[in-house]
Amino acid sequence: MKILSILAATILMFLGQACNQNKSRDNQKSENMNDTAKAEHYTFELSDKVTRKKVTFKNRYGIMLTGDLYLPKGQGNEPLAAIAISGPFGAVKEQSSGLYANQMAQRGFAALAFDPSYTGESGGEPRAVASPDINTEDFSAAVDFLGIQKNIDRKKIGIIGICGFAGFALNATAIDKRVKAVATTSMYDMTRVMSKGYNDAVTLEQRTKTLEQLGEQRWKDAEAGTFAAGAILNPEKLKGDEPQFVKDYYDYYRTPRGYHERSLNSTGAWNATNALSFMNMPILTYIKEISPRPMLLIAGEKAHSRYFSEDVYKLAMEPKELMIIPNAVHTDLYDKVDVIPFSKLERFFKEYLK
């Protein structure tokens, strides 16, 4: 059945504990934190109307985060409205989030694209770990940074989350009342997909087996004194019988279109036990508390992830808007500037960050 092939792909791509590789996390760190030349590789061209500066800031857990601050040239003396941007899950700031920041800076905003904790150029040990709590905090730390800049109006800060970081963006907005507006594209709720699979197809028996496997992997890690990597997220070559959305991910992350050396989705894998903290931590429980601040949810008509945005829209309170992009798939909203509705994002944030 189709649903089972999708479920299998989910387990392969996001849990990965069944593939017990012998590569240590220390080795992966050295591979993912490459030299300066690689650090300067961006998957898009910087606009001649924008400046970009690397910045660092700490989150509430003391982890040093690294980001790129994009500013419009000739901004004048008026403090700017600002947007914190991150995602997709397993990506780096030189990919989609940077592209979004570049576009929004052209439209007059200060825009901060940042690497989440434990990934990219940001700090945190061990490497290649995600956390519903810490990754939510990463957005609030970005708001901290933006709000103390002299050229930014701290009363005019919003968030854009892409793919898996769209869920964290919504969670951060729910608890951080300093965020005045939130927009998401190709949204995933990572806690839902990891614990229940796509379309909530995982049975209790399957969930129990996964948790048992994760427990066994913890014994192996404890005995080895290191953290094993899980399954490679996007292999160098496809077999050809993968679900279409897996092929779409490959087309972005494994080709010159979106490849980056530090991106886990391009070159690596999450920690084999990475799914543990997601299995019983639903991050969208308090989605209604975003109101009365506005929410914009953008999804592709043909995206396998579309239902996440539709379900959030049903749960959320006004003001809210769901925008479905005709014929678009999930990854079209990563980098296709003729598909991503940047004019809509501009109008949304100019209306609500004032």
Side-chain angles (χ1 to χ4, degrees):
M1 294 176 64
K2 183 177 180 181
I3 189 66
L4 292 180
S5 67
I6 293 177
L7 177 59
T10 303
I11 295 172
L12 173 64
M13 295 183 67
F14 293 115
L15 301 184
Q17 74 279 358
C19 181
N20 183 21
Q21 300 175 356
N22 292 321
K23 181 189 289 184
S24 74
R25 189 55 59 198
D26 289 339
N27 288 339
Q28 183 150 4
K29 175 185 175 182
S30 95
E31 289 184 9
N32 288 340
M33 301 190 71
N34 286 297
D35 56 29
T36 302
K38 290 182 178 180
E40 294 304 317
H41 168 217
Y42 288 81
T43 60
F44 56 93
E45 294 293 328
L46 181 66
S47 168
D48 59 8
K49 300 176 182 178
V50 171
T51 63
R52 176 173 60 207
K53 179 177 71 172
K54 185 170 291 187
V55 298
T56 58
F57 52 97
K58 282 188 178 181
N59 69 14
R60 194 167 56 87
Y61 295 97
I63 298 171
M64 186 67 74
L65 304 181
T66 300
D68 286 324
L69 181 62
Y70 293 75
L71 296 172
K73 289 182 178 178
Q75 64 188 71
N77 297 321
E78 192 73 20
L80 297 169
I83 305 169
I85 308 172
S86 196
F89 190 74
V92 290
K93 63 187 180 304
E94 291 85 358
Q95 295 173 313
S96 297
S97 60
L99 181 146
Y100 273 66
N102 186 48
Q103 288 287 330
M104 297 309 291
Q106 292 179 59
R107 291 161 168 79
F109 299 92
L112 174 63
F114 65 90
D115 286 337
S117 296
Y118 308 107
T119 63
E121 289 190 298
S122 287
E125 293 287 343
R127 304 303 294 169
V129 176
S131 161
D133 180 19
I134 295 174
N135 292 146
T136 295
E137 160 61 20
D138 289 342
F139 268 112
S140 287
V143 172
D144 293 342
F145 171 83
L146 290 170
I148 62 174
Q149 305 307 305
K150 293 181 179 179
N151 59 339
I152 289 173
D153 187 339
R154 66 170 57 178
K155 295 181 180 179
K156 301 178 179 179
I157 299 177
I159 284 178
I160 296 176
I162 308 165
C163 183
F165 270 78
F168 301 134
L170 293 173
N171 194 35
T173 303
I175 61 172
D176 193 336
K177 303 305 181 182
R178 300 173 302 171
V179 179
K180 303 305 180 185
V182 60
T184 69
T185 59
S186 292
M187 195 208 82
Y188 261 79
D189 175 352
M190 296 307 303
T191 54
R192 180 179 175 184
V193 76
M194 285 199 192
S195 61
K196 298 181 179 180
Y198 282 116
N199 299 297
D200 303 335
V202 168
T203 65
L204 177 59
E205 181 181 3
Q206 290 169 327
R207 174 181 166 85
T208 300
K209 183 176 181 180
T210 296
L211 290 172
E212 289 171 349
Q213 291 173 340
L214 288 167
E216 288 301 314
Q217 185 61 51
R218 289 195 66 137
W219 286 126
K220 294 175 183 177
D221 290 348
E223 290 167 348
T226 187
F227 297 95
I232 294 294
L233 295 171
N234 286 290
E236 291 187 24
K237 292 183 179 181
L238 294 178
K239 295 182 294 183
D241 59 350
E242 294 84 358
Q244 183 58 46
F245 79 93
V246 176
K247 296 176 181 178
D248 292 339
Y249 281 132
Y250 178 92
D251 185 58
Y252 179 76
Y253 287 112
R254 276 294 189 175
T255 71
R257 172 185 166 193
Y259 180 89
H260 195 279
E261 296 87 346
R262 280 195 303 272
S263 170
L264 291 175
N265 292 332
S266 291
T267 64
W270 290 102
N271 181 306
T273 57
N274 189 54
L276 273 172
S277 61
F278 291 80
M279 296 296 281
N280 62 350
M281 190 72 67
I283 57 174
L284 300 183
T285 301
Y286 297 98
I287 195 75
K288 289 180 170 62
E289 294 185 13
I290 291 177
S291 178
R293 293 163 297 159
M295 174 193 308
L296 172 62
L297 306 162
I298 302 170
E301 178 189 14
K302 297 183 178 179
H304 68 283
S305 56
R306 174 177 169 176
Y307 73 97
F308 288 115
S309 294
E310 292 175 332
D311 287 354
V312 165
Y313 180 76
K314 293 173 186 175
L315 291 172
M317 305 289 286
E318 297 286 352
K320 60 182 179 178
E321 183 175 355
L322 175 63
M323 185 178 189
I324 303 298
I325 307 301
N327 299 313
V329 299
H330 180 87
T331 53
D332 285 344
L333 300 185
Y334 283 8
D335 67 331
K336 294 188 176 180
V337 295
D338 57 337
V339 176
I340 302 166
F342 284 113
S343 294
K344 173 66 175 179
L345 287 166
E346 176 184 359
R347 292 193 300 272
F348 174 77
F349 284 110
K350 284 186 174 177
E351 178 179 357
Y352 293 109
L353 300 184
K354 61 182 181 180

